[in-house]
Amino acid sequence: MKKTLAIIGVTGKLGYRVANKLANQDKYDLIGIARNPGKRSFDHFKNISFYQIKGIDDIENLSNALKKADIIINTGYVWFANHIHKALQKAKHKPEQIIFIGSAAIFTRYNVPSKAKRMAGEQSVFRNFKHWTLIRPTMIYGHPQDNNISRLIKFVNKSPVIPIIGKGKNKIQPIFIDDVVEFIIRSIDNPNVINKEINISGKRAITNRELFLTVAVLLQKRRILIPIPPQIILFGIKLFRLIGQKPPVKEEQVMRFLEDKNVDISEAVQLLEYTPRDFREGCGELIQTMREEGII
Ligand SMILES: NC(=O)c1ccc[n+]([C@@H]2O[C@H](COP(=O)([O-])OP(=O)(O)OC[C@H]3O[C@@H](n4cnc5c(N)ncnc54)[C@H](OP(=O)(O)O)[C@@H]3O)[C@@H](O)[C@H]2O)c1
């Protein structure tokens, strides 16, 4: 029987890609929930209807949108959980499964404001829902608007020297966006992942140094890495603030750069029977896209 699947945040980078994978499938009637559905083109979809909400705290409209959903995917933020719970209570409706996208950033040892917000969101998931799945990706890259690796590619492409915070020995394990989408798609209606927290990332952890050098090698550019002591960067940030300027990086970003961000994905690989790309492969695909689009 056809199921109704609602996507919250359907106009987002992840939400739109997940929706596209489910477009025109006989298995699902889709409900797209967004603040501004006109932000993206859905003309090619035959199986989607829209509900506009003023924001995630617009419980009235959110409740209407969710009342018939068998499955819900929240590709907005994990801290939407409380609002979704309220909307489902108002609709007196219990979906078969609700998939939340969290973030592996929750594992940071620093008490950044977003950590408390994410933790409260996750607690709401565990407390308020019966059949949930929580997927926590590491840094997502793989498209020219990713704001992380695509920016690095542009920089490495132009600059003969690459400053790096510290020695670059800390580990990182970014995940290609299509792999995040694949993990989400494989979680839908999947009894293996009910009430499971699943950490996902790229296939293998690498050091920040290796990541920078991989980008240079793939671009076929000889580049020199210049390690900058973190204390100097932190001092520079203070100077920017002292003269009333916005620093190019925040203290939080510097500290996060200096901690290991690798995660164990063996459970995700086993439960969802999918192995994500290695960084070298994903970065190569991204460079090709950026070349085709004339960005580099
Ligand atoms: N990007 C990463 O590197 C990364 C890494 C790990 C985890 N994640 C997680 O992945 C998820 C999706 O990320 P993304 O990169 O796809 O983000 P995105 O492109 O910014 O999409 C977020 C979606 O949420 C909607 N939204 C934001 N605030 C809202 C509000 N107050 N009320 C209603 N809707 C709201 C946005 O609506 P509009 O389209 O109207 O703005 C958009 O559709 C998030 O949970 C994020 O924490 C991302």
Side-chain angles (χ1 to χ4, degrees):
M1 208 177 82
K2 242 184 173 184
K3 292 201 174 175
T4 300
L5 190 151
I7 304 176
I8 300 171
V10 73
T11 48
K13 293 183 278 297
L14 205 49
Y16 188 61
R17 285 173 172 82
V18 170
N20 266 291
K21 275 271 174 169
L22 300 169
N24 309 327
Q25 279 195 13
D26 291 337
K27 272 160 92 179
Y28 304 111
D29 282 324
L30 300 182
I31 292 177
I33 302 170
R35 295 186 286 197
N36 176 14
K39 192 173 151 185
R40 300 269 196 177
S41 167
F42 293 91
D43 295 346
H44 53 295
F45 283 66
K46 293 192 189 81
N47 60 339
I48 196 162
S49 47
F50 285 98
Y51 283 84
Q52 191 162 10
I53 52 171
K54 293 186 198 99
I56 199 64
D57 50 0
D58 175 3
I59 303 299
E60 183 76 37
N61 285 315
L62 187 60
S63 167
N64 273 334
L66 296 178
K67 69 183 173 205
K68 290 202 181 114
D70 300 305
I71 296 165
I72 300 169
I73 307 179
N74 172 31
T75 56
Y77 297 89
V78 73
W79 53 79
F80 290 181
N82 249 337
H83 303 284
I84 298 169
H85 172 58
K86 280 187 197 155
L88 287 170
Q89 273 190 321
K90 189 172 168 59
K92 296 189 175 54
H93 177 61
K94 288 193 169 83
E96 289 169 22
Q97 183 189 18
I98 170 153
I99 300 173
F100 286 93
I101 312 306
S103 170
I106 200 163
F107 300 125
T108 178
R109 60 172 186 262
Y110 299 107
N111 276 329
V112 292
S114 59
K115 180 171 174 173
K117 218 172 158 182
R118 288 186 212 282
M119 286 184 87
E122 289 202 357
Q123 287 310 313
S124 173
V125 172
F126 306 145
R127 197 177 48 238
N128 292 323
F129 298 89
K130 199 155 180 234
H131 299 130
W132 50 268
T133 301
L134 173 63
I135 299 177
R136 297 192 194 99
T138 50
M139 175 204 278
I140 302 172
Y141 75 101
H143 56 96
Q145 292 77 38
D146 70 19
N147 255 336
N148 43 57
I149 302 298
S150 64
R151 278 169 74 184
L152 178 68
I153 291 171
K154 279 193 247 175
F155 184 78
V156 175
N157 192 44
K158 276 202 185 140
S159 173
V161 290
I162 312 167
I164 183 163
I165 308 169
K167 293 191 177 119
K169 284 189 173 161
N170 290 91
K171 292 203 173 112
I172 186 163
Q173 202 169 352
I175 181 163
F176 196 78
I177 192 155
D178 292 0
D179 291 333
V180 182
V181 172
E182 190 59 37
F183 275 120
I184 295 172
I185 298 291
R186 285 171 182 252
S187 299
I188 299 171
D189 222 355
N190 183 338
N192 286 347
V193 294
I194 296 298
N195 299 351
K196 288 260 192 253
E197 302 164 46
I198 302 168
N199 301 325
I200 59 168
S201 69
K203 187 174 179 180
R204 180 177 72 89
I206 51 177
T207 62
N208 282 310
R209 191 182 163 79
E210 194 182 343
L211 179 128
F212 282 33
L213 292 175
T214 302
V215 172
V217 167
L218 290 168
L219 285 166
Q220 295 179 314
K221 306 267 180 173
R222 285 174 81 95
R223 294 295 182 247
I224 303 163
L225 287 190
I226 311 256
I228 316 259
Q231 295 83 345
I232 293 185
I233 299 177
L234 292 169
F235 181 69
I237 294 175
K238 279 204 185 106
L239 279 186
F240 264 92
R241 295 232 165 85
L242 263 176
I243 56 165
Q245 295 288 313
K246 192 178 162 212
V249 284
K250 293 185 199 156
E251 286 91 345
E252 177 186 332
Q253 288 169 307
V254 176
M255 302 319 287
R256 286 279 288 142
F257 190 85
L258 294 169
E259 72 177 341
D260 287 336
K261 291 185 281 292
N262 52 314
V263 298
D264 180 358
I265 58 162
S266 51
E267 194 182 14
V269 171
Q270 186 221 326
L271 290 175
L272 294 163
E273 297 174 354
Y274 183 70
T275 303
R277 288 168 182 75
D278 189 74
F279 179 72
R280 196 184 176 90
E281 188 187 345
C283 185
E285 285 183 47
L286 176 56
I287 288 173
Q288 195 183 334
T289 306
M290 291 173 77
R291 283 195 173 128
E292 281 164 9
E293 293 185 11
I295 299 167
I296 52 169

